[in-house]
Amino acid sequence: MTVNSQKPPRGSTPCPDHIFISIKGDAKTSMTVSWRTSVDVTNGYALCRKENTDNYLRFDAITDVFESDIDISNMFWADMTGLEPGTKYFYTVGNDDYRSEEYHFVTEEQNADSFKFICVSDQQRGEPHDLPDYSSFNEFLSQVLEENPDTKFILTGGDNTDCGQHEVQWNGAFSGLKGIVEHIPFMMTLGNHDNRGFKDYKNGIGRYYSEPAEFFGKQFKGSYPYNGPEAWKTENYSFDYGNAHFNVIGVNGPEDVNDWLISDIASSDKVWKFGSYHFPIYYTGPELANDDAYPMMREGMEMLDILFSGHEHNFSRSFPIKKESLFDKPSQGTIHYELGNSNYNPPGTATVKKVWHAAYYPQSENVAAVAVVEVFKDRVELTTKLNDGRIVDKCVVDKKNDVILPYAVAPFYRRPRVFYKGTDLGLGQRDLFPEKKDGIWFAPLSVMFSAICAEVIKEKNCVTLSIYGKSATFTEGSDIAVTPEGEVKLLAKVYRGNRGQLYIPVDSVVPCFGMKWNYAEKNNFISIEHVSEDIPCTEQP
């Protein structure tokens, strides 16, 4: 192996750095510490002592080489085991010649009836290009922990870096964590930026996504429980704390991950089941889609009480949801909790409140957000607040009484409605409701297409709809749709309905435009989706 003699800025040295602790085993009796050195340091160990004693315990580390795009380093992972519950410990890491300063941590209490953790998300920084500056995140996180000194660990919602396939990004990220994660377990969720890279990083050319997440796996495979699905370990893992079970879900291999989720969650006897997954299933973006996860992971995810997410850089909280219907009680579904961004990263595009949201905040201001989660025996209190002290959302999920406070009633519509990607069609469908005849749903789909800026051409007795490169012509009294690819047989004939609009069998949208639809019986609305995240807009000649 050739050692890089010209180390990059923030490159590895014989002195341990990137030091952080994590929960890998029983949090009452163990703690794992990870660190990095240059490759000329080939062995390492942690020394750990209980507070007010000088009796050090030695824990030898396992090590592996991490060869990145700019450096070659050794990674070290030491499991400090046989510890006492609810006890403060001090530790150092390194070898006989190079050791860190002394840090401390506290193990989980023996009977932790209540505990607090915090969630951050999308703290990535891309600038300066070769030396990303995470100082603002460090300042914000330090402020949060000062206000919440009883925090037991930090859970992220992903995008811990801007481009995780380039080590310059991880070096920047760890600069923003210094002085914090040496004391508080740092439990990372993989985001799409964390496994993103460029063939030409400097010029941003040749973007790709690593599957599995190569740099993430190489750096943290000894940091987290190695209990995920076989092909996707490290980026998927689960752990326990107090009366809660946590599933950290990566962004790759959804079918495999779903099988693992079902088995892993079913085997847990904990009261609370929490998950974290970077992409929001019930998103806020006008154009987004969730087909990268749903329906492949729906069965597993809907075994969770609360699923934390990120990605969109804004906050939202859903009603309890199961099988795409919206409910009021926590026992009836999963709450999808979008964390916002924690490092002054406003959303790049506008976001909107959707039919499935009980609470929403666009976070277009240049602010940072954190979620403080307090877990009790039969209730969870969630508070999302900004760096300036304003509270975005505060709610209580009460299992004992099966309520969520403040109260919010999931919508029910006396007359059925159509939503496209969760958005109301507005004025156009004021009195143009879908109708069910002989078990088939019909709707004036020209209204929906107009509302989302697709092309609608109305001619005598027919209408042509075009979107996402697909088009189809529907004619009154006919059960045939004419497309450039040929004729499509409809479930029933098109008819003229209210305000003279043509009513088309909704199910026929699927083959003609690559869409999918669902009827939420509990709420009496039809939801139509499309996998594309393109923005429909007709051209101006």
Side-chain angles (χ1 to χ4, degrees), residues 442-461:
F442 294 80
L445 292 175
S446 60
V447 173
M448 184 192 83
F449 275 66
S450 295
I452 61 177
C453 296
E455 185 175 34
V456 177
I457 300 175
K458 294 181 178 179
E459 299 175 290
K460 187 175 182 179
N461 300 327

PDB file of all heavy atoms in Angstrom, residues 442-461:
ATOM      1  N   PHE A 442     -65.611   7.468 -11.872  1.00  0.00           N
ATOM      2  CA  PHE A 442     -65.444   8.374 -13.007  1.00  0.00           C
ATOM      3  C   PHE A 442     -65.092   9.758 -12.461  1.00  0.00           C
ATOM      4  O   PHE A 442     -65.514  10.135 -11.366  1.00  0.00           O
ATOM      5  CB  PHE A 442     -66.737   8.497 -13.816  1.00  0.00           C
ATOM      6  CG  PHE A 442     -67.169   7.244 -14.515  1.00  0.00           C
ATOM      7  CD1 PHE A 442     -67.829   6.235 -13.828  1.00  0.00           C
ATOM      8  CD2 PHE A 442     -66.925   7.082 -15.872  1.00  0.00           C
ATOM      9  CE1 PHE A 442     -68.245   5.080 -14.471  1.00  0.00           C
ATOM     10  CE2 PHE A 442     -67.333   5.925 -16.533  1.00  0.00           C
ATOM     11  CZ  PHE A 442     -67.994   4.923 -15.824  1.00  0.00           C
ATOM     12  N   ALA A 443     -64.344  10.533 -13.232  1.00  0.00           N
ATOM     13  CA  ALA A 443     -64.017  11.900 -12.833  1.00  0.00           C
ATOM     14  C   ALA A 443     -63.796  12.755 -14.078  1.00  0.00           C
ATOM     15  O   ALA A 443     -63.364  12.248 -15.124  1.00  0.00           O
ATOM     16  CB  ALA A 443     -62.768  11.922 -11.960  1.00  0.00           C
ATOM     17  N   PRO A 444     -64.086  14.062 -13.970  1.00  0.00           N
ATOM     18  CA  PRO A 444     -63.780  14.984 -15.073  1.00  0.00           C
ATOM     19  C   PRO A 444     -62.290  15.302 -15.056  1.00  0.00           C
ATOM     20  O   PRO A 444     -61.843  16.334 -14.544  1.00  0.00           O
ATOM     21  CB  PRO A 444     -64.632  16.210 -14.743  1.00  0.00           C
ATOM     22  CG  PRO A 444     -64.749  16.196 -13.256  1.00  0.00           C
ATOM     23  CD  PRO A 444     -64.741  14.747 -12.845  1.00  0.00           C
ATOM     24  N   LEU A 445     -61.496  14.399 -15.597  1.00  0.00           N
ATOM     25  CA  LEU A 445     -60.043  14.482 -15.445  1.00  0.00           C
ATOM     26  C   LEU A 445     -59.433  15.695 -16.135  1.00  0.00           C
ATOM     27  O   LEU A 445     -58.296  16.068 -15.848  1.00  0.00           O
ATOM     28  CB  LEU A 445     -59.407  13.184 -15.953  1.00  0.00           C
ATOM     29  CG  LEU A 445     -59.730  11.962 -15.087  1.00  0.00           C
ATOM     30  CD1 LEU A 445     -59.172  10.700 -15.722  1.00  0.00           C
ATOM     31  CD2 LEU A 445     -59.199  12.127 -13.676  1.00  0.00           C
ATOM     32  N   SER A 446     -60.175  16.327 -17.048  1.00  0.00           N
ATOM     33  CA  SER A 446     -59.651  17.555 -17.650  1.00  0.00           C
ATOM     34  C   SER A 446     -59.445  18.627 -16.588  1.00  0.00           C
ATOM     35  O   SER A 446     -58.558  19.471 -16.712  1.00  0.00           O
ATOM     36  CB  SER A 446     -60.602  18.065 -18.727  1.00  0.00           C
ATOM     37  OG  SER A 446     -61.880  18.349 -18.184  1.00  0.00           O
ATOM     38  N   VAL A 447     -60.250  18.587 -15.520  1.00  0.00           N
ATOM     39  CA  VAL A 447     -60.095  19.555 -14.421  1.00  0.00           C
ATOM     40  C   VAL A 447     -58.761  19.339 -13.720  1.00  0.00           C
ATOM     41  O   VAL A 447     -58.017  20.281 -13.446  1.00  0.00           O
ATOM     42  CB  VAL A 447     -61.262  19.433 -13.423  1.00  0.00           C
ATOM     43  CG1 VAL A 447     -61.016  20.319 -12.203  1.00  0.00           C
ATOM     44  CG2 VAL A 447     -62.569  19.793 -14.090  1.00  0.00           C
ATOM     45  N   MET A 448     -58.460  18.074 -13.433  1.00  0.00           N
ATOM     46  CA  MET A 448     -57.184  17.786 -12.776  1.00  0.00           C
ATOM     47  C   MET A 448     -56.014  18.173 -13.666  1.00  0.00           C
ATOM     48  O   MET A 448     -55.054  18.797 -13.214  1.00  0.00           O
ATOM     49  CB  MET A 448     -57.085  16.307 -12.422  1.00  0.00           C
ATOM     50  CG  MET A 448     -55.822  15.934 -11.641  1.00  0.00           C
ATOM     51  SD  MET A 448     -55.537  14.151 -11.535  1.00  0.00           S
ATOM     52  CE  MET A 448     -54.740  13.842 -13.104  1.00  0.00           C
ATOM     53  N   PHE A 449     -56.069  17.823 -14.928  1.00  0.00           N
ATOM     54  CA  PHE A 449     -54.972  18.123 -15.845  1.00  0.00           C
ATOM     55  C   PHE A 449     -54.774  19.637 -15.987  1.00  0.00           C
ATOM     56  O   PHE A 449     -53.646  20.124 -16.021  1.00  0.00           O
ATOM     57  CB  PHE A 449     -55.231  17.467 -17.202  1.00  0.00           C
ATOM     58  CG  PHE A 449     -54.785  16.031 -17.266  1.00  0.00           C
ATOM     59  CD1 PHE A 449     -55.404  15.055 -16.503  1.00  0.00           C
ATOM     60  CD2 PHE A 449     -53.730  15.652 -18.081  1.00  0.00           C
ATOM     61  CE1 PHE A 449     -54.988  13.740 -16.546  1.00  0.00           C
ATOM     62  CE2 PHE A 449     -53.299  14.336 -18.141  1.00  0.00           C
ATOM     63  CZ  PHE A 449     -53.931  13.366 -17.372  1.00  0.00           C
ATOM     64  N   SER A 450     -55.858  20.379 -16.034  1.00  0.00           N
ATOM     65  CA  SER A 450     -55.735  21.838 -16.104  1.00  0.00           C
ATOM     66  C   SER A 450     -55.103  22.385 -14.834  1.00  0.00           C
ATOM     67  O   SER A 450     -54.265  23.291 -14.883  1.00  0.00           O
ATOM     68  CB  SER A 450     -57.116  22.471 -16.324  1.00  0.00           C
ATOM     69  OG  SER A 450     -57.653  22.107 -17.577  1.00  0.00           O
ATOM     70  N   ALA A 451     -55.503  21.834 -13.693  1.00  0.00           N
ATOM     71  CA  ALA A 451     -55.012  22.340 -12.414  1.00  0.00           C
ATOM     72  C   ALA A 451     -53.516  22.137 -12.251  1.00  0.00           C
ATOM     73  O   ALA A 451     -52.850  22.914 -11.566  1.00  0.00           O
ATOM     74  CB  ALA A 451     -55.761  21.659 -11.263  1.00  0.00           C
ATOM     75  N   ILE A 452     -52.977  21.080 -12.860  1.00  0.00           N
ATOM     76  CA  ILE A 452     -51.540  20.810 -12.693  1.00  0.00           C
ATOM     77  C   ILE A 452     -50.735  21.252 -13.919  1.00  0.00           C
ATOM     78  O   ILE A 452     -49.597  20.836 -14.111  1.00  0.00           O
ATOM     79  CB  ILE A 452     -51.292  19.319 -12.388  1.00  0.00           C
ATOM     80  CG1 ILE A 452     -51.785  18.429 -13.536  1.00  0.00           C
ATOM     81  CG2 ILE A 452     -51.963  18.932 -11.073  1.00  0.00           C
ATOM     82  CD1 ILE A 452     -51.513  16.945 -13.331  1.00  0.00           C
ATOM     83  N   CYS A 453     -51.337  22.125 -14.727  1.00  0.00           N
ATOM     84  CA  CYS A 453     -50.647  22.757 -15.858  1.00  0.00           C
ATOM     85  C   CYS A 453     -50.276  21.781 -16.966  1.00  0.00           C
ATOM     86  O   CYS A 453     -49.288  21.995 -17.686  1.00  0.00           O
ATOM     87  CB  CYS A 453     -49.408  23.510 -15.390  1.00  0.00           C
ATOM     88  SG  CYS A 453     -49.793  24.882 -14.290  1.00  0.00           S
ATOM     89  N   ALA A 454     -51.040  20.691 -17.087  1.00  0.00           N
ATOM     90  CA  ALA A 454     -50.860  19.796 -18.224  1.00  0.00           C
ATOM     91  C   ALA A 454     -51.644  20.368 -19.407  1.00  0.00           C
ATOM     92  O   ALA A 454     -52.362  21.357 -19.298  1.00  0.00           O
ATOM     93  CB  ALA A 454     -51.345  18.399 -17.874  1.00  0.00           C
ATOM     94  N   GLU A 455     -51.503  19.724 -20.549  1.00  0.00           N
ATOM     95  CA  GLU A 455     -52.177  20.212 -21.752  1.00  0.00           C
ATOM     96  C   GLU A 455     -53.557  19.579 -21.865  1.00  0.00           C
ATOM     97  O   GLU A 455     -53.712  18.370 -21.773  1.00  0.00           O
ATOM     98  CB  GLU A 455     -51.353  19.888 -22.998  1.00  0.00           C
ATOM     99  CG  GLU A 455     -51.953  20.475 -24.264  1.00  0.00           C
ATOM    100  CD  GLU A 455     -51.076  20.255 -25.482  1.00  0.00           C
ATOM    101  OE1 GLU A 455     -50.408  19.196 -25.542  1.00  0.00           O
ATOM    102  OE2 GLU A 455     -51.059  21.126 -26.368  1.00  0.00           O
ATOM    103  N   VAL A 456     -54.553  20.440 -22.063  1.00  0.00           N
ATOM    104  CA  VAL A 456     -55.934  20.004 -22.219  1.00  0.00           C
ATOM    105  C   VAL A 456     -56.490  20.642 -23.487  1.00  0.00           C
ATOM    106  O   VAL A 456     -56.535  21.874 -23.599  1.00  0.00           O
ATOM    107  CB  VAL A 456     -56.793  20.395 -21.009  1.00  0.00           C
ATOM    108  CG1 VAL A 456     -58.249  19.991 -21.226  1.00  0.00           C
ATOM    109  CG2 VAL A 456     -56.257  19.741 -19.736  1.00  0.00           C
ATOM    110  N   ILE A 457     -56.901  19.842 -24.441  1.00  0.00           N
ATOM    111  CA  ILE A 457     -57.514  20.347 -25.677  1.00  0.00           C
ATOM    112  C   ILE A 457     -58.935  19.795 -25.753  1.00  0.00           C
ATOM    113  O   ILE A 457     -59.134  18.587 -25.885  1.00  0.00           O
ATOM    114  CB  ILE A 457     -56.714  19.916 -26.927  1.00  0.00           C
ATOM    115  CG1 ILE A 457     -55.277  20.450 -26.850  1.00  0.00           C
ATOM    116  CG2 ILE A 457     -57.403  20.422 -28.188  1.00  0.00           C
ATOM    117  CD1 ILE A 457     -54.388  19.982 -27.986  1.00  0.00           C
ATOM    118  N   LYS A 458     -59.894  20.716 -25.632  1.00  0.00           N
ATOM    119  CA  LYS A 458     -61.294  20.321 -25.676  1.00  0.00           C
ATOM    120  C   LYS A 458     -61.861  20.612 -27.070  1.00  0.00           C
ATOM    121  O   LYS A 458     -61.777  21.739 -27.555  1.00  0.00           O
ATOM    122  CB  LYS A 458     -62.099  21.066 -24.614  1.00  0.00           C
ATOM    123  CG  LYS A 458     -61.718  20.699 -23.189  1.00  0.00           C
ATOM    124  CD  LYS A 458     -62.557  21.449 -22.173  1.00  0.00           C
ATOM    125  CE  LYS A 458     -62.207  21.054 -20.753  1.00  0.00           C
ATOM    126  NZ  LYS A 458     -63.006  21.799 -19.744  1.00  0.00           N
ATOM    127  N   GLU A 459     -62.412  19.580 -27.658  1.00  0.00           N
ATOM    128  CA  GLU A 459     -63.089  19.711 -28.938  1.00  0.00           C
ATOM    129  C   GLU A 459     -64.487  19.121 -28.802  1.00  0.00           C
ATOM    130  O   GLU A 459     -64.829  18.552 -27.765  1.00  0.00           O
ATOM    131  CB  GLU A 459     -62.286  18.994 -30.031  1.00  0.00           C
ATOM    132  CG  GLU A 459     -60.883  19.565 -30.217  1.00  0.00           C
ATOM    133  CD  GLU A 459     -60.064  18.779 -31.209  1.00  0.00           C
ATOM    134  OE1 GLU A 459     -59.689  17.622 -30.870  1.00  0.00           O
ATOM    135  OE2 GLU A 459     -59.804  19.303 -32.300  1.00  0.00           O
ATOM    136  N   LYS A 460     -65.307  19.248 -29.845  1.00  0.00           N
ATOM    137  CA  LYS A 460     -66.671  18.777 -29.754  1.00  0.00           C
ATOM    138  C   LYS A 460     -66.715  17.291 -29.407  1.00  0.00           C
ATOM    139  O   LYS A 460     -66.145  16.459 -30.109  1.00  0.00           O
ATOM    140  CB  LYS A 460     -67.412  19.024 -31.069  1.00  0.00           C
ATOM    141  CG  LYS A 460     -68.909  18.704 -30.972  1.00  0.00           C
ATOM    142  CD  LYS A 460     -69.643  19.064 -32.244  1.00  0.00           C
ATOM    143  CE  LYS A 460     -71.142  18.765 -32.093  1.00  0.00           C
ATOM    144  NZ  LYS A 460     -71.897  19.134 -33.306  1.00  0.00           N
ATOM    145  N   ASN A 461     -67.343  17.003 -28.263  1.00  0.00           N
ATOM    146  CA  ASN A 461     -67.578  15.626 -27.791  1.00  0.00           C
ATOM    147  C   ASN A 461     -66.312  14.865 -27.412  1.00  0.00           C
ATOM    148  O   ASN A 461     -66.381  13.653 -27.169  1.00  0.00           O
ATOM    149  CB  ASN A 461     -68.354  14.809 -28.836  1.00  0.00           C
ATOM    150  CG  ASN A 461     -69.712  15.409 -29.144  1.00  0.00           C
ATOM    151  OD1 ASN A 461     -70.350  15.995 -28.261  1.00  0.00           O
ATOM    152  ND2 ASN A 461     -70.150  15.286 -30.391  1.00  0.00           N
TER     153      ASN A 461
END
